[in-house]
Amino acid sequence: EANSKCIIPRVVTKRPRQGFTHPAKKADIIEVLQFFGEQCFYGLRSIKLVQGQGSGSENNFVMGRLEIPGTIILFDQADSPWFINGRILADDAERLESAGAIIERFHNDLHCQIHWNDEQLKYFMLFDVFMHEVGHHMIQQYKGKRTERVARTKDHEDFAIHFAQKCRKEFFEWQNHGAK
């Protein structure tokens, strides 16, 4: 566990839209940052939980992003179940189901509902979204704080995905063995 005395980035929370929520709360984000420590968030200026732009029925799954330099944006998410118009991509479906979502498909796969329980969605946002964006930040930070992307998109994504998976595993191992 990291030293909890290090100064963590500012976490700003905006009220979610009606019918939406911030699955990972400020306290959850702070706990994860403290656990992984300064090597993960060095140079990170702020984390913002903000209102998203869409209705929650799109299938593009924009849940968060890194604004270079040093700001991670996490968007509010529609309350469960999510109603998706259009075909859900196989990679998205696999990622959601591996995090605990239950996907019901309708009309030859042209529509679906995605069901979450609150805890699974919280951890999905913390690791598959937030720590994924921290992975992108780390690449940028340790390459000289440039404002442009410092690696090919595929390499950036591969690193962020593997980083988030590693973080999830370490955090749950600590929760299951060390914290309780």
Side-chain angles (χ1 to χ4, degrees):
E1 183 175 359
N3 179 356
S4 61
K5 292 183 181 181
C6 51
I7 299 171
I8 60 167
R10 196 172 101 191
V11 180
V12 178
T13 303
K14 302 290 183 189
R15 178 175 288 150
R17 297 168 285 167
Q18 187 171 346
F20 286 70
T21 186
H22 290 300
K25 308 294 184 224
K26 180 177 182 175
D28 301 319
I29 291 168
I30 290 170
E31 178 185 27
V32 167
L33 289 173
Q34 287 176 332
F35 176 78
F36 289 106
E38 199 169 12
Q39 71 275 5
C40 284
F41 61 81
Y42 178 78
L44 195 56
R45 297 174 182 173
S46 64
I47 298 112
K48 297 178 181 178
L49 284 70
V50 301
Q51 293 183 354
Q53 307 273 320
S55 66
S57 64
E58 299 83 16
N59 63 350
N60 57 2
F61 297 110
V62 178
M63 301 174 137
R65 72 172 182 254
L66 173 65
E67 288 185 352
I68 299 169
T71 299
I72 293 176
I73 308 291
L74 300 175
F75 299 108
D76 61 0
Q77 300 302 312
D79 292 336
S80 184
W82 297 347
F83 300 94
I84 307 298
N85 295 315
R87 193 175 308 268
I88 187 168
L89 299 174
D91 288 348
D92 287 337
E94 182 181 328
R95 187 171 53 117
L96 295 169
E97 287 172 330
S98 70
I102 297 170
I103 301 175
E104 289 183 84
R105 291 168 173 85
F106 303 99
H107 302 104
N108 293 327
D109 240 7
L110 295 178
H111 306 284
C112 68
Q113 284 185 5
I114 302 172
H115 301 269
W116 290 100
N117 74 37
D118 291 343
E119 185 175 32
Q120 290 167 327
L121 183 54
K122 173 181 86 169
Y123 286 119
F124 179 79
M125 287 298 293
L126 281 172
F127 294 101
D128 297 83
V129 180
F130 176 62
M131 291 307 287
H132 178 99
E133 297 306 326
V134 168
H136 286 304
H137 164 74
M138 290 176 66
I139 291 172
Q140 294 295 137
Q141 179 65 27
Y142 295 108
K143 293 288 186 175
K145 299 183 184 179
R146 298 179 193 153
T147 57
E148 69 276 354
R149 199 162 258 224
V150 296
R152 294 182 317 169
T153 299
K154 182 184 180 337
D155 295 337
H156 235 283
E157 278 305 309
D158 287 347
F159 177 84
I161 288 166
H162 293 298
F163 177 76
Q165 289 170 345
K166 178 180 172 270
C167 289
R168 177 190 285 270
K169 183 176 184 248
E170 285 178 21
F171 187 79
F172 282 113
E173 285 176 355
W174 170 76
Q175 270 196 335
N176 293 331
H177 301 304
K180 296 185 179 186

